[in-house]
Amino acid sequence: MTNRLIYLPLGGAGEIGMNAYVYGYGPAGKERLILVDMGVTFPDMDTTPGVDLILPDMAWLEDNLDRLDAIFITHAHEDHIGALGHLWPRLQKPVYARRFTATIGRLKFEEQGLPVEAINIVAPRPETVEVGPFKVQFVPVSHSIPESAALLIDTPAGRIVHSGDFKLDHNPVVGEAWDDARFTEIAAERPVKALMCDSTNVFSLHAGRSESSIREPIRELIAGHGGMVVATTFASNVARLKTLAEAARAADRSVCLMGRAMKRMVTAAEQSGVLTGFPRTVSPEDAADIPRGNLMLIVTGSQGERRAASAQLSRGKYLGMELKQGDLFLFSSKTIPGNEREVLRIVNNLSERGVDVMDDGGGKYHVSGHANRPDLEHVHRLLLPDMLIPMHGEHRHLREHARIGAEAGIATAIVTNGMMVDLTGEAPVTVEHVETGRLYLDGTSIVGALDGVIRDRIRMALNGHVMVTVILDDDNETLGDAWVEIMGLSEKGRSGPLAETMEGELNDFIDGAGRKILRDDDKLDEALRRIVRQVAMEEIGKKPEVTVVVSRLMAE
Amino acid sequence: MTNRLIYLPLGGAGEIGMNAYVYGYGPAGKERLILVDMGVTFPDMDTTPGVDLILPDMAWLEDNLDRLDAIFITHAHEDHIGALGHLWPRLQKPVYARRFTATIGRLKFEEQGLPVEAINIVAPRPETVEVGPFKVQFVPVSHSIPESAALLIDTPAGRIVHSGDFKLDHNPVVGEAWDDARFTEIAAERPVKALMCDSTNVFSLHAGRSESSIREPIRELIAGHGGMVVATTFASNVARLKTLAEAARAADRSVCLMGRAMKRMVTAAEQSGVLTGFPRTVSPEDAADIPRGNLMLIVTGSQGERRAASAQLSRGKYLGMELKQGDLFLFSSKTIPGNEREVLRIVNNLSERGVDVMDDGGGKYHVSGHANRPDLEHVHRLLLPDMLIPMHGEHRHLREHARIGAEAGIATAIVTNGMMVDLTGEAPVTVEHVETGRLYLDGTSIVGALDGVIRDRIRMALNGHVMVTVILDDDNETLGDAWVEIMGLSEKGRSGPLAETMEGELNDFIDGAGRKILRDDDKLDEALRRIVRQVAMEEIGKKPEVTVVVSRLMAE
């Protein structure tokens, strides 16, 4: 039986978030497997109200658990590592990551009471992890978090480069610079059969800029301001934190970190050795005693998260600090599409307090962590892969990236979640469609996206909820009247109180209903539900969700 | 008693949307009043799930109805006229507008069964409406809808210019061009005491561009494409519709309008005489027989609205039309902040169908309808007002606009909804804070933003809903067991089915509870509720909303 090399994204291909990619090698259907990344996506009120996190549904992998040899994590961003603590118990396979990533992973394991020793620290190439038919090396790339890595995956069928998230930064402030030589060497050593490549910034037409390019502008901005300065960025962007903190020190300002994620990241970065020389910080309690002109807060919540420090500070006093006329608030960050409303809410709150707000200023105070189109093309040329499979992108990104690859004469395919492609030949061939989907972490339970739980919440939010209680005895006679409770609907209808109007109609119906309906729970439920919806439509122009409880009291 | 001139925004100042501004003149507290605009804001899932429209709460005006003389509508955008059909019945005062605006207003009145003759058509300046102490003229301005007007409001205390929405377009394709002379004349005639001015684009630093500037790029784009072309824009942007339709005809394409709003606007514009020479259109049924390369659809839904034509077409067949590989979809529109997620959903759906998508292309295929910062400064200089009151903007816009005015030596103030300012003197003085707020049109009923109705919906969406039914007899003995229904929560808890676990705990409690609790509805309700929330927290880590129904059956 011939062996084949397969690629199967379970998340991250056709969306930005929730990365989870499977590679396999062996006889068809019996390939040995590895998993790259276990990320999350963040919920929103429109589609996932009340949900805490969105995880990839890896049921296929769970069904083929005996074939899975290892899990590799490319870097410590939540969309790559966030599901580790929640879904590892279902897989229970060794995890491999670089030191900083492993440090973050182990914190997650500790929180969940999982065995931290399952997470192995791997040094960069040439160190090699051999699992089944795979030889895997971590290749340092620059990104917006320390120790991001591409994976070099050698198989008997050829060499794969899984780019992870990367940018071409030759002076990244913290961590390793991008190094062309590393990749020309990789391609020279053994031809690259397939490049799975980050597509996030494929629509950005100019070459990307270095993290260090914003150091001076930030320094000038902060030095030029009299009041207190507050800056927000992603907590995991340790280089940015350092740039901000150093700019503060250069302007004779003490630095105070606010927000749990912020402190956690700096600690992890220092402990794992990737961050050195970070200025000493003061606690919020001590910060309160420092003159405003000598203080800078670096805070969480750049995406407008309601409970993070930015939002709290915009609304009033937070940990003893309060923003005032003459203070400056810097978003050293980009607003992720979908978060605009929340971010603007903060900006307007700050405006009401008389605070000056600076956003990324057309790139003056923020640079992206992903490779732009010319950078992607540069990497295609460095590696000269036989095939290019775009990943880490919505469909529009994957399609555009594939188009660019095809124009350059590379075999490409748009491979989205659940598509299993065979890479053994000269071009990718789709061989199977696998069920994928999303799981919702909801409180402490995990529910399937299609379980109907969240659908019901959305329906209640859109339509309101009416509960009907009816009590019948064993002769199918009503005991008392039908009772209606409404939630999330106007109490007043056209002709009076809504609940009373509904009760009147329900009681009229029950009084006139035959035994055939009254003794059949399903028919009665259906009839009462229809009456409630009809009355609601007439009275308030809405069709609510309805729950009917028919209690049958039996003679004892 | 001295007379004073007051200004009081009830909506639109501190937000973009829901415009409603009151002017008054007379003795303090007895000023005669006029209302300018009655707009709506659109709901979102985060804060107003299930709501149809958001209206300004004009309770203050309703309380002072005997003082209100007239309502003026500056133009027919929904954020200026959208509440007219819903709230006019509470005011019942004559409405004044230009012909096109009145046509749209009358359509709304017809829908609601209101007397269309209450809406009066006013010709542009010099025609003057005299109501109470006010003399009001409509001054044509260019904007992204026909017959937008600034209002010239003359009072015994001075002349006010209420800008309405405007841009400086000297070649607007449809309708009147911007004319500096009109405004220099106004200022020369009588000094302008106060300018209430559109602030939407105060953060756009370059001079605005004319609607006509995108005619050639659109023409080239459409002529250069082989497949079917679909373009979306705001239905009310009649000039854009004309540009798109003419570009289609120039490329030998038949034009098909899709979406109710689109057809309604074109009809209203033709009937009111502002639109002439619009190319003949074909119906969707006829369009199906036309070769794709000879067809262009102009469709609604540029903001990603789920039920509009754009979204429907992105998901599959709609009115017999289906998009395919090789077709082109043009967003001749800007995505309003907050709508990104929905718009990108459409773009990705289209990408999956192989459709090429063009967005506004950095302004190549779309221009804004509002004056940019240099344009605003130009108008300040034309009118040389004593005071500048920024309106039509979020707080950040008002603040920036006021800053610019102050820098130019004009007396300014940031006046937000509910602030009544006295304009009689040399600078605006806040004299009163009035209760304002929002009303929600929800189905056919109107509920207050603070009524708790929508808050309950949001809570159910975030936390799920548990209903508990308990039946007691007149000895406070339970009849049957407690019954639990859950909606929007995982059915499975840590220790088994969630509803059963709850029922078990509830029954245990009831069995052991004393008469004192069992006979007190409030105490019993509270206790049962607490048990449900506690069990839910333990079992699934969430605290749901709880409705308890205690039925007491009395011996007959």
Side-chain angles (χ1 to χ4, degrees), chain A residues 228-232 256 258-259 292 297-300 305-324 327 329 346 349-350 353 355:
Chain A
M228 183 159 75
V229 177
V230 185
T232 183
C256 173
M258 281 172 116
R292 305 180 85 73
L297 315 180
I298 306 179
V299 307
T300 52
E305 300 91 333
R306 278 190 65 76
R307 280 178 250 170
S310 292
Q312 303 260 21
L313 283 167
S314 82
R315 291 196 291 263
K317 216 163 190 166
Y318 180 60
L319 299 180
M321 308 301 302
E322 189 165 14
L323 291 176
K324 288 187 185 160
D327 291 341
F329 195 102
I346 292 181
N349 287 347
L350 292 170
R353 304 184 156 265
V355 174

Side-chain angles (χ1 to χ4, degrees), chain A residues 271-475:
Chain A
Q271 282 175 359
S272 59
V274 297
L275 179 64
T276 53
F278 194 83
R280 209 170 58 82
T281 60
V282 299
S283 68
E285 300 78 61
D286 292 343
D289 298 329
I290 297 172
R292 305 180 85 73
N294 295 113
L295 187 60
M296 168 145 152
L297 315 180
I298 306 179
V299 307
T300 52
S302 67
Q303 298 304 308
E305 300 91 333
R306 278 190 65 76
R307 280 178 250 170
S310 292
Q312 303 260 21
L313 283 167
S314 82
R315 291 196 291 263
K317 216 163 190 166
Y318 180 60
L319 299 180
M321 308 301 302
E322 189 165 14
L323 291 176
K324 288 187 185 160
Q325 178 95 27
D327 291 341
L328 171 71
F329 195 102
L330 169 64
F331 283 90
S332 182
S333 57
K334 189 200 136 192
T335 303
I336 294 173
N339 296 340
E340 288 79 3
R341 220 173 283 160
E342 288 72 23
V343 170
L344 288 177
R345 197 171 295 140
I346 292 181
V347 173
N348 282 310
N349 287 347
L350 292 170
S351 177
E352 286 179 29
R353 304 184 156 265
V355 174
D356 293 323
V357 177
M358 295 295 306
D359 59 18
D360 78 349
K364 211 167 163 190
Y365 308 119
H366 176 68
V367 289
S368 168
H370 295 272
N372 289 355
R373 184 181 303 198
D375 311 325
L376 295 171
E377 291 171 329
H378 178 74
V379 171
H380 301 167
R381 284 191 299 268
L382 283 182
L383 289 173
L384 295 171
D386 295 337
M387 305 177 211
L388 167 70
I389 315 263
M391 62 172 186
H392 205 284
E394 299 167 9
H395 196 279
R396 63 194 177 107
H397 299 101
L398 305 186
R399 184 162 175 260
E400 183 72 0
H401 199 172
R403 197 184 62 67
I404 290 169
E407 269 182 12
I410 312 172
T412 70
I414 302 172
V415 182
T416 54
N417 296 342
M419 285 171 65
M420 184 192 291
V421 291
D422 182 346
L423 308 172
T424 321
E426 288 183 3
V429 179
T430 305
V431 289
E432 203 181 323
H433 285 272
V434 153
E435 286 266 356
T436 57
R438 298 173 159 219
L439 300 176
Y440 299 147
L441 179 70
D442 187 53
T444 51
S445 70
I446 291 182
V447 301
L450 303 178
D451 287 4
V453 170
I454 305 304
R455 180 202 62 203
D456 283 348
R457 280 194 208 158
I458 293 173
R459 286 185 180 166
M460 288 191 290
L462 294 174
N463 309 322
H465 192 190
V466 174
M467 294 132 282
V468 177
T469 312
V470 175
I471 307 172
L472 298 176
D473 66 14
D474 45 8
D475 288 330

Side-chain angles (χ1 to χ4, degrees), chain B residues 168-230:
Chain B
L168 310 191
D169 196 332
H170 300 282
N171 187 5
V173 180
V174 167
E176 299 116 327
W178 174 265
D179 184 2
D180 274 2
R182 259 185 225 126
F183 289 87
T184 38
E185 188 185 278
I186 283 168
E189 232 174 52
R190 188 183 182 195
V192 175
K193 185 165 187 60
L195 167 64
M196 278 58 182
C197 193
D198 182 359
S199 308
T200 315
N201 278 5
V202 69
F203 290 109
S204 298
L205 304 183
H206 300 288
R209 290 172 309 123
S210 167
E211 179 66 29
S212 57
S213 70
I214 59 173
R215 211 152 33 174
E216 265 319 299
I218 286 179
R219 208 174 267 239
E220 277 168 31
L221 178 72
I222 291 172
H225 213 87
M228 183 158 77
V229 177
V230 184

Side-chain angles (χ1 to χ4, degrees), chain B residues 59-187:
Chain B
W60 184 87
L61 211 51
E62 292 168 39
D63 291 343
N64 291 282
L65 211 52
D66 56 325
R67 292 163 55 195
L68 180 66
D69 289 318
I71 301 162
F72 294 84
I73 307 290
T74 58
H75 64 287
H77 275 151
E78 289 297 309
D79 60 332
H80 294 260
I81 198 174
L84 190 61
H86 304 291
L87 294 183
W88 185 85
R90 300 179 176 203
L91 305 181
Q92 311 232 5
K93 302 292 173 179
V95 178
Y96 298 92
R98 296 187 65 194
R99 182 176 302 276
F100 175 73
T101 310
T103 305
I104 298 292
R106 286 175 177 177
L107 285 173
K108 290 181 186 295
F109 266 42
E110 273 167 15
E111 267 171 18
Q112 304 284 331
L114 300 175
V116 293
E117 61 278 10
I119 302 182
N120 303 282
I121 296 173
V122 186
R125 170 174 148 89
E127 185 163 320
T128 305
V129 180
E130 288 201 35
V131 283
F134 300 99
K135 289 180 184 148
V136 182
Q137 298 183 339
F138 287 78
V139 185
V141 293
S142 45
H143 184 43
S144 47
I145 192 169
E147 295 194 343
S148 197
L151 296 183
L152 182 60
I153 305 171
D154 274 308
T155 77
R159 169 164 274 196
I160 287 167
V161 175
H162 179 99
S163 78
D165 292 6
F166 73 100
K167 66 181 287 190
L168 310 191
D169 196 332
H170 300 282
N171 187 5
V173 180
V174 167
E176 299 116 327
W178 174 265
D179 184 2
D180 274 2
R182 259 185 225 126
F183 289 87
T184 38
E185 188 185 278
I186 283 168

Side-chain angles (χ1 to χ4, degrees), chain B residues 292-405:
Chain B
R292 305 180 86 72
N294 294 112
L295 187 60
M296 169 145 152
L297 314 180
I298 305 179
V299 306
T300 51
S302 68
Q303 297 306 308
E305 301 91 332
R306 278 191 65 77
R307 278 179 253 171
S310 292
Q312 303 259 20
L313 283 167
S314 82
R315 290 196 292 264
K317 216 163 189 166
Y318 180 60
L319 299 180
M321 309 301 302
E322 188 165 15
L323 290 176
K324 288 186 186 162
Q325 177 95 28
D327 291 341
L328 171 72
F329 196 103
L330 169 64
F331 283 89
S332 183
S333 57
K334 190 198 133 192
T335 302
I336 293 172
N339 296 340
E340 288 78 4
R341 220 173 284 161
E342 288 72 23
V343 169
L344 288 177
R345 197 170 295 141
I346 291 181
V347 172
N348 282 310
N349 287 348
L350 292 170
S351 177
E352 285 180 31
R353 304 184 157 265
V355 174
D356 294 323
V357 177
M358 294 295 306
D359 60 17
D360 79 349
K364 209 166 164 190
Y365 308 119
H366 176 68
V367 289
S368 167
H370 295 273
N372 290 355
R373 184 182 302 197
D375 311 326
L376 295 171
E377 292 171 328
H378 178 76
V379 171
H380 302 166
R381 284 191 300 268
L382 283 181
L383 289 172
L384 295 170
D386 296 336
M387 305 177 212
L388 167 70
I389 315 264
M391 62 173 185
H392 205 284
E394 299 167 9
H395 196 279
R396 63 194 176 108
H397 300 100
L398 305 185
R399 182 160 177 260
E400 183 72 359
H401 199 171
R403 196 185 61 69
I404 290 170

